[in-house]
Amino acid sequence: MNLQAVLTLAGLEVRQRVRSTRWRVTLGILFALMSLIVFGSLYVVVSTDSTFDDWSVYAFEIVLFVILFVGLVGAPTISATSINGDRRDATLAVVQATPISAWELTLGKFLGAWVASLALVGVALPYLVFGIVIGPTSVIASVGAIVVLALLLGCYCAIGLGFSAATSRPAASAMLTQATVLLLLIGLPLAFVLTVPAVTSSEKVTVTEWDYGGAASVSTCREVPGTREFTHTEYTWWLLAPNPLVVVGDVVGAGQHRDSDETRGLLRALSHGMSATRTGPEIVGSACPTSTDDRFNDVVLYDDRDSGYVGHTWYIGLGITMAIGAFGLWVAARRLRVPAGKLARGVRVA
């Protein structure tokens, strides 16, 4: 592996985008959009009965949301036309004619696209630092969320590079890349919802029956055997693990201070919700109330165990996404081998 060749190709990819006026305008628009969202949300909050402290809880998450959703669109698009676009412009064969291996060419283009996508994080860095300072999440978890977000952007660049090498038309590779990202973001959660009937079963538990005896003052409660339905999400939680919101949210949830409200903030709520999903239901019934004030209510037997997996799911989702990205790099390197052998219809060499 010639590291100098890889860095040279990566530098060429980055300089090609830096020289583009459209790229600089895009980053400027992104910074303006970020400023509008941050200060606009602050204005809306302080205009109501809420205070700056109430808004500060969400400031870091707001910026992360913007970077994540812009990155979901931008990062795959940056690399989705990197290879077949060079083929179309008749510049790829010139590079392949040099003493460079397919893996060196692949890694160079991947690093160039990844560095370009990290410009999205760089533009928002002032607001990220501001959110870390005023927010309730620990500094380690906040920095970890930014690092994980950057790794996700790299994975999406690798996926786009694989499709760019596997297809001859840039429009087709861009569409396939976006479809794959949407599969991780929306498709797998929909599949999780569709599996709910398959993992729902009736379990025998203790239930309560009330005998009012004609007057509420003499009502009695007794515990009898019965059945209740429970959804065993512990069998299908892995479908949600690669979702980028779950991955980033679980890192943020792991850094939430235990003495604060754990449900404040969407990312922290996602982290605790994912932990409860992974834990699955507790097969318990209900018991008769011991207080006369609650004689019309059943006391549900419950053990607070749903937060046991908070901060222990993100690395699984990140690992799955990295595996998909690694497969994309392998496909790209395989399609860039020289001599190429049999080429697909419509693929040009020079």
Side-chain angles (χ1 to χ4, degrees):
M1 180 67 66
N2 188 343
L3 182 59
Q4 184 62 40
V6 173
L7 294 179
T8 299
L9 284 171
L12 289 174
E13 290 284 323
V14 173
R15 283 195 294 270
Q16 182 180 359
R17 291 178 172 85
V18 170
R19 288 196 299 265
S20 175
T21 304
R22 183 175 57 183
W23 178 246
R24 284 177 286 181
V25 171
T26 301
L27 293 180
I29 294 175
L30 175 61
F31 182 78
L33 176 64
M34 190 80 64
S35 303
L36 178 63
I37 293 176
V38 170
F39 292 110
S41 61
L42 175 60
Y43 175 77
V44 170
V45 169
V46 298
S47 298
T48 61
D49 295 334
S50 301
T51 63
F52 176 83
D53 292 336
D54 296 324
W55 175 83
S56 65
V57 176
Y58 306 96
F60 180 71
E61 294 187 5
I62 290 173
V63 181
L64 273 184
F65 266 122
V66 176
I67 299 175
L68 182 58
F69 281 105
V70 173
L72 287 174
V73 177
T77 305
I78 290 173
S79 61
T81 60
S82 180
I83 294 177
N84 50 22
D86 286 353
R87 281 201 181 107
R88 179 195 58 193
D89 299 334
T91 58
L92 181 63
V94 177
V95 179
Q96 289 179 300
T98 62
I100 186 173
S101 68
W103 270 107
E104 290 168 354
L105 178 56
T106 300
L107 292 178
K109 285 188 169 295
F110 164 70
L111 288 178
W114 190 14
V115 171
S117 68
L118 290 180
L120 304 175
V121 180
V123 167
L125 192 59
Y127 294 119
L128 287 173
V129 174
F130 178 67
I132 292 174
V133 172
I134 66 175
T137 308
S138 66
V139 175
I140 295 177
S142 300
V143 175
I146 298 174
V147 172
V148 169
L149 176 59
L151 291 176
L152 287 176
L153 295 181
C155 294
Y156 300 147
C157 288
I159 294 172
L161 200 66
F163 282 116
S164 181
T167 58
S168 58
R169 297 181 181 275
S173 59
M175 185 179 300
L176 290 172
T177 303
Q178 292 295 341
T180 303
V181 174
L182 287 177
L183 174 66
L184 298 176
L185 180 64
I186 301 176
L188 290 182
L190 286 177
F192 172 81
V193 173
L194 293 176
T195 60
V196 168
V199 296
T200 301
S201 61
S202 297
E203 307 288 346
K204 293 182 178 181
V205 294
T206 301
V207 298
T208 57
E209 288 186 355
W210 287 88
D211 183 7
Y212 295 101
S217 59
V218 294
S219 60
T220 58
C221 173
R222 64 176 181 272
E223 299 176 3
V224 297
T227 59
R228 281 186 176 176
E229 287 190 345
F230 295 90
T231 302
H232 294 273
T233 54
E234 69 272 20
Y235 300 141
T236 55
W237 65 270
W238 51 271
L239 289 170
L240 300 175
N243 186 290
L245 289 176
V246 173
V247 174
V248 177
D250 198 47
V251 180
V252 175
Q256 173 69 16
H257 298 309
R258 295 302 179 184
D259 57 350
S260 59
D261 188 355
E262 295 179 346
T263 62
R264 297 186 70 183
L266 180 57
L267 291 179
R268 285 184 287 273
L270 280 173
S271 178
H272 287 269
M274 186 63 201
S275 177
T277 301
R278 188 175 174 182
T279 303
E282 186 176 9
I283 311 301
V284 295
S286 56
C288 292
T290 57
S291 173
T292 56
D293 295 334
D294 298 329
R295 62 181 181 272
F296 297 112
N297 301 319
D298 294 339
V299 177
V300 178
L301 301 177
Y302 177 72
D303 183 15
D304 187 13
R305 61 192 182 98
D306 289 346
S307 60
Y309 288 106
V310 172
H312 295 286
T313 302
W314 66 267
Y315 47 83
I316 299 176
L318 179 62
I320 296 173
T321 309
M322 292 181 70
I324 299 173
F327 179 74
L329 291 179
W330 177 81
V331 171
R334 188 172 184 273
R335 296 300 294 267
L336 289 174
R337 290 185 302 181
V338 178
K342 184 178 180 180
L343 295 176
R345 177 177 297 180
V347 176
R348 61 185 296 174
V349 176

